[in-house]
Amino acid sequence: MTVLTVPTADVTGPAGISRRIRVLRRLRRNPLAVLSFGLLALVAVVALLSPWITPYSVEQTDFAHTFSPPGTPGHLLGTDDLGRDVLSRIMLGARASLQVALLAVATSLVVGVPLGLAAGYFRAWDAVISRFTDLLLAFPFLIMAVGLAAIRGASLTNAAVAIGIAQIPGVIRVVRSDTLRLKSLDFVAAAVVDGASDLWVLARHILPNATSVILVQATVAIPAAILGEAVLSFLGLGIQPPAPSLGTMLATAQQFAARAPWAAVLPGVVIMGLALAFNVFGDALRDALDPKGNRR
């Protein structure tokens, strides 16, 4: 996994507030950042409200109108093999994907950030944590997620936990790298000379200045988690029917791809669009957080 590093400065006090304002200004001047953020905000609102705004119940079938094409009156995106409304299922499927992604990333951050801080700041802990990270990195991301999901059983929560555990090594490496860099800076050395405890230095100086790197890593981890959830659901190890999932929609539609290609294409487009939007916004956020770019 690629280790992302974002140059940072002391974010405490008025200088930190001014820096955040400059970051927001740079994001607003980036059309791709604005477009991707707008798309993500729209999807997030739709996903949040989907239980109440879907045109039909996701379990409502209509065997008289199976495989209705997109544009059919009453079914904007058509119907599937059981006559269920594709739009309603995509809306709730996107909600499930975002739930899994956010839970997975939260899991990886809760575990990975403290371990990364400890590995970067305490030399005695570095060897143990780094070897643990290397052990986890020996297994490919999706292979580990599939294995953990198979062991724990198929459900939304288990899929999120499995993906989150698989993402922990990347978080540890990113946070450890930035902690090593921050530990050598003057303001950290001054705090140590003043008698600050290790926990105070980590909580008051290291962690706030590593927030930029953590945010960027999260925007990179979310699309990976969305793809991971789709793969697990496609294999039957994620969200279980009749609950809708973009991955299960793809798995069901593959056998009818020649007759109703839209049933497979539309969920795939949503997965691709979400992953692309998060990646584009993550790249824009990384550029905006670069102090050298802020001075341009």
Side-chain angles (χ1 to χ4, degrees), residues 84-107:
R84 297 173 296 189
D85 185 61
V86 173
L87 175 60
S88 299
R89 294 182 64 78
I90 284 179
M91 291 169 66
L92 282 168
R95 174 188 175 91
S97 293
L98 290 178
Q99 284 180 315
V100 170
L102 294 177
L103 285 173
V105 172
T107 300

Side-chain angles (χ1 to χ4, degrees), residues 9-22:
D10 191 356
V11 296
T12 59
I17 298 175
S18 176
R19 179 172 177 270
R20 286 192 289 270
I21 293 174
R22 290 197 299 271

Side-chain angles (χ1 to χ4, degrees), residues 194-238:
D194 285 341
S197 65
D198 292 334
L199 290 179
W200 176 263
V201 172
L202 286 170
R204 185 68 177 82
H205 299 287
I206 302 292
L207 181 58
N209 284 282
T211 302
S212 299
V213 172
I214 296 171
L215 287 176
V216 174
Q217 179 65 17
T219 61
V220 173
I222 288 176
I226 291 174
L227 294 175
E229 184 277 326
V231 170
L232 292 179
S233 296
F234 185 87
L235 297 175
L237 297 173

Side-chain angles (χ1 to χ4, degrees), residues 146-231:
V146 168
L148 291 172
I151 293 171
R152 292 180 54 86
S155 70
L156 184 149
T157 302
N158 288 344
V161 172
I163 296 171
I165 292 174
Q167 290 183 330
I168 288 174
V171 175
I172 292 176
R173 294 187 68 179
V174 168
V175 177
R176 173 185 177 276
S177 176
D178 205 50
T179 301
L180 288 171
R181 183 185 64 83
L182 291 169
K183 188 172 68 171
S184 64
L185 298 182
D186 292 340
F187 67 90
V188 174
V192 174
V193 171
D194 285 341
S197 65
D198 292 334
L199 290 179
W200 176 263
V201 172
L202 286 170
R204 185 68 177 82
H205 299 287
I206 302 292
L207 181 58
N209 284 282
T211 302
S212 299
V213 172
I214 296 171
L215 287 176
V216 174
Q217 179 65 17
T219 61
V220 173
I222 288 176
I226 291 174
L227 294 175
E229 184 277 326
V231 170

